Amino acid sequence: MSYLPKSPWLVHYDASSCNGCDIEVLACLTPLYDVERFGVLNIGNPKHADIFVVTGSVNEQNKSVIQNIYNQMAEPKVVVAIGACATSGGIFRECYNVQGGVDKVIPVDVYVPGCAARPEAIIDGVVQALGVLEEKYKKMGKVAK
Amino acid sequence: MGERTIIPFGPQHPVLPEPLHLDLILEDEKVVGAVPSIGFVHRGLEKLVEKRDFHEMMYVIERVCGICSFIHGQGYVQTIEGIFDLEIPDRAKFLRTIWAELSRVHSHLLWLGLMADAYGFESLFMHCWRVREKILDIFEETTGGRVIFSVCKVGGVWKDIDNETLKKIVEVLNVVEQESKDLTNVFIKDFTVQKRTRGVGVLTYQEAIDVGAVGPTLRGSGVAMDLRKLGYAAYGELDFEPIVEKDGDCYARTLVRAREIYQSIDLIRQCVSKIPDGEIDVKVKGFPKGEYVSRLEQPRGQVVYYARANGTKYLERFRVRTPTFANIPALLKMLPGCDLADVPLLALTIDPCISCTER
C-alpha cells in the first residue's frame, strides 16, 4: 500500500481499560505522533467512522454499548482492538467482571499488543486496518476513491 | 417553567475519553438535576488479591488507572510496607517522590489539554500535550515505560536514577516550566476562557466539605487540604504549602491545577538537590500479617488504601478509595443551574478518572 485512498476516520471507545491505552490513543493524535497528517481523525459520531478503536476488555455493562456503536457504523468497517485487555482480557482476565477480549462480542480485524500499547504500535495497527478496509471495499465490488 | 426532558450524557461521548454516564434532567436549556450511573469500567480487581501474591499485586494495582499509575503503585507498596513495619532507604523515598511529582505534572498538563478541548481551543490542547510528551520522555528514559512504569516494589524501587540523569531532568523541567507558562497564561488571562469559567459551577467552602470533595476540587473551594503535608515518602523534608483558591468555580479549579504544575516542578528541584546516596531497596522476608491504612495525594486528590493480611502470601482484603469517587457528589452539586452546553466543561473540572472510580 503506497498511498491512502481515503482519510480514515476513527471512533474510539474505552470499554474497561485502565486509561493507559486511552491516553496513548489520544497521544497518537497530538503533535509528537500526529496521525492527522495522514488524514486520520478521531470523531465522536460512529456513523461517520470507518475504524472502530476499542481499548479494554468486555464486561456485562459495556457489552451492549460496544455492540451498539459497532452496529451504527456504516459498512465497510474495521475493528482494531488495542492493548492486552482488548485482545484477551490481559492482566484482568481472571477478574470476576471481565469476560475477555473484544472479540467475544464483535468481530475484530486487527489486534495491537502491549500493556500499555505504545503509540507506534497503535499507529501500525491503524495502518494495517487501512489494508483490511481496502480489501473489504474490493469484496463489496467497489473501489475506494 | 419549561417542560422537563431527560438527556442521556455518555457513556460514549466526544468530549469524554472515558465512559461516564449521566442522566441530565433539563428544563429548556437549564440543568435541574443529574443522576450518575457507573459500572462500565468495573473489573473487580480488588478481588484479584486472592489469586496474585502480594508482590505481583503491585502490577495489578498500578493498572487501577493508567494516568496516575505510579502513585497507585506507590500507595500499594506503602501499605504493605506499613504492615511489615519496614523502613525503606532514603534514596528510594526521594526517587518515589520525584516520579510521583512528575506524574502530577503530566496528569495536570493532560487535564489542561482536555479542558482546552472542551472550550474548543484545539491548538491549545495540542500544545499542552506536546509539552507533556517531554515528561513522558523522562519516564521512558528512567523507567522504560511511558504510562505504566512498574518501578515500585515492596521494600524500595527497582531502578535508580543516576545523578547525571537527575540533573538532565531538572534541565528538561526548566524548559517545561517556561513552555507551561505560555500555556497557563491563556487559561488564566484569556478573556473568552474567563467568560466560560468564571462563576460557572460554583462549589462553596461549606458544600465542598459537606460532600467530601478532595484534591484540587476541594482546594479550589478554599480548603487547604493536601495529604503530601502528612510527610509520607520524602515530602516531610521538602518545603511547600498547599495551593488554595477561594472562588470555588471552574476558574479557581483551573488555577489550582495550573499552579500545582509549578509547585511540582519546584518539589522535584528540591528533591534533586537533597537526594542522598545509598541503597535503593531492602530485602523483604516472610509474609505480611496485620492490617494497615495509608493515604496519599493523587493528582486528583486523596486516595485511601486498606490492606489486611493473614500471614500467607495472598492478602485477605484490599480496598482502594479513589479521588474521583469522592468528587462525583461534588459534580452533582455543581450541575444544577448550569447550561446544557456547559456540562462537558463541568464534568471535566473534577478531572474525572472513571477507571479509578470503578476499578
Side-chain angles (χ1 to χ4, degrees):
Chain A
M1 196 172 58
S2 56
Y3 71 100
L4 303 181
K6 62 183 282 183
S7 299
W9 287 9
L10 53 90
V11 58
H12 167 226
Y13 181 68
D14 168 357
S16 65
S17 156
C18 74
N19 274 346
C21 295
D22 303 308
I23 55 175
E24 293 295 57
V25 168
L26 277 182
C28 289
L29 303 163
T30 54
L32 189 67
Y33 296 98
D34 194 18
V35 288
E36 220 170 303
R37 67 201 147 120
F38 304 125
V40 178
L41 212 58
N42 184 16
I43 42 152
N45 190 336
K47 299 211 181 212
H48 294 176
D50 307 293
I51 301 177
F52 185 17
V53 170
V54 198
T55 51
S57 50
V58 173
N59 66 27
E60 203 53 54
Q61 181 93 319
N62 65 31
K63 214 172 175 174
S64 57
V65 183
I66 296 173
Q67 277 165 338
N68 202 347
I69 298 173
Y70 181 76
N71 292 338
Q72 284 184 63
M73 289 170 68
E75 293 280 357
K77 53 195 169 189
V78 183
V79 178
V80 185
I82 289 183
C85 295
T87 54
S88 68
I91 195 167
F92 302 122
R93 68 189 174 280
E94 285 175 291
C95 288
Y96 59 83
N97 200 32
V98 169
Q99 298 181 349
V102 178
D103 48 10
K104 298 254 175 188
V105 283
I106 53 171
V108 175
D109 299 285
V110 182
Y111 296 88
V112 176
C115 181
R118 293 185 60 86
E120 291 90 342
I122 296 173
I123 295 171
D124 191 44
V126 171
V127 170
Q128 282 189 32
L130 290 176
V132 180
L133 195 66
E134 221 167 332
E135 262 169 44
K136 285 192 175 174
Y137 262 114
K138 275 184 197 148
K139 264 187 203 157
M140 288 170 73
K142 285 179 185 164
V143 186
K145 272 181 187 163
Chain B
M1 193 179 104
E3 216 173 292
R4 290 201 167 187
T5 332
I6 294 178
I7 292 191
F9 176 78
Q12 191 261 340
H13 189 277
V15 77
L16 296 172
E18 287 188 275
L20 167 72
H21 179 87
L22 293 169
D23 280 320
L24 300 169
I25 305 161
L26 300 183
E27 264 171 25
D28 295 333
E29 281 291 306
K30 290 275 178 219
V31 178
V32 291
V35 184
S37 64
I38 55 174
F40 295 96
V41 198
H42 181 60
R43 288 149 287 176
L45 58 82
E46 285 167 1
K47 189 95 173 144
L48 267 189
V49 289
E50 292 167 8
K51 290 174 185 162
R52 301 265 190 280
D53 73 38
F54 73 96
H55 287 298
E56 289 172 340
M57 228 12 228
M58 210 302 283
Y59 307 110
V60 179
I61 298 302
E62 254 200 340
R63 285 160 177 82
V64 168
C65 167
I67 304 177
C68 26
S69 60
F70 180 81
I71 304 181
H72 276 301
Q74 186 192 4
Y76 172 76
V77 294
Q78 214 167 288
T79 313
I80 303 300
E81 283 156 9
I83 296 178
F84 275 118
D85 204 8
L86 205 65
E87 188 59 35
I88 65 161
D90 279 346
R91 191 172 176 88
K93 283 183 187 170
F94 273 89
L95 287 172
R96 281 182 188 176
T97 313
I98 291 171
W99 276 313
E101 287 309 312
L102 283 169
S103 299
R104 199 177 313 276
V105 177
H106 117 79
S107 174
H108 282 348
L109 279 171
L110 178 146
W111 178 83
L112 285 175
L114 292 177
M115 190 70 177
D117 197 34
Y119 305 138
F121 282 33
E122 199 168 328
S123 321
L124 188 58
F125 163 54
M126 293 292 176
H127 279 297
C128 290
W129 281 57
R130 177 180 57 81
V131 176
R132 175 181 162 266
E133 287 287 343
K134 291 197 169 67
I135 309 285
L136 296 191
D137 287 344
I138 298 178
F139 282 137
E140 200 172 349
E141 196 178 335
T142 54
T143 68
R146 277 168 54 90
V147 289
I148 306 267
F149 318 131
S150 303
V151 79
C152 269
K153 67 169 176 181
V154 180
V157 289
W158 284 109
K159 287 189 179 126
D160 199 355
I161 310 181
D162 59 60
N163 289 336
E164 210 168 292
T165 316
L166 284 174
K167 276 192 199 112
K168 252 198 284 177
I169 291 176
V170 173
E171 278 165 31
V172 174
L173 286 175
N174 290 340
V175 180
V176 170
E177 187 174 34
Q178 207 50 47
E179 293 190 348
S180 305
K181 275 200 176 123
D182 295 340
L183 300 174
T184 50
N185 263 347
V186 182
F187 288 94
I188 296 167
K189 293 182 182 155
D190 188 273
F191 178 78
T192 321
V193 173
Q194 290 197 32
K195 272 273 176 212
R196 293 281 319 259
T197 53
R198 270 200 196 265
V200 177
V202 177
L203 187 73
T204 62
Y205 182 91
Q206 196 52 45
E207 278 173 345
I209 291 175
D210 289 348
V211 297
V214 293
T217 313
L218 180 67
R219 292 195 286 277
S221 295
V223 187
M225 192 180 95
D226 190 328
L227 288 173
R228 289 175 289 176
K229 275 283 170 200
L230 289 177
Y232 66 86
Y235 290 112
E237 295 167 51
L238 304 177
D239 176 34
F240 69 103
E241 281 306 317
I243 285 168
V244 180
E245 291 292 331
K246 288 207 168 58
D247 295 343
D249 52 5
C250 290
Y251 183 74
R253 290 188 281 276
T254 311
L255 213 53
V256 168
R257 291 198 179 90
R259 286 173 59 199
E260 278 187 3
I261 293 177
Y262 305 117
Q263 184 190 43
S264 294
I265 292 176
D266 180 53
L267 284 174
I268 298 167
R269 282 203 198 107
Q270 289 186 36
C271 282
V272 171
S273 65
K274 285 181 184 167
I275 189 167
D277 289 326
E279 292 293 309
I280 54 163
D281 59 349
V282 286
K283 263 222 155 65
V284 178
K285 282 185 198 141
F287 301 126
K289 190 173 167 60
E291 55 183 351
Y292 198 80
V293 174
S294 63
R295 300 192 294 161
L296 283 85
E297 185 76 17
Q298 285 267 21
R300 286 161 187 76
Q302 162 180 279
V303 60
V304 183
Y305 301 89
Y306 167 77
R308 190 170 70 224
N310 53 7
T312 63
K313 67 175 180 174
Y314 300 106
L315 297 181
E316 211 170 77
R317 178 80 171 93
F318 184 75
R319 169 95 171 96
V320 197
R321 187 183 194 267
T322 54
T324 307
F325 187 78
N327 276 336
I328 283 182
L331 174 64
L332 300 181
K333 266 266 189 289
M334 293 171 206
L335 282 173
C338 80
D339 292 329
L340 175 63
D342 274 334
V343 172
L345 193 78
L346 282 171
L348 266 177
T349 56
I350 65 161
D351 200 356
C353 177
I354 308 304
S355 173
C356 280
T357 312
E358 302 178 2
R359 305 177 299 281

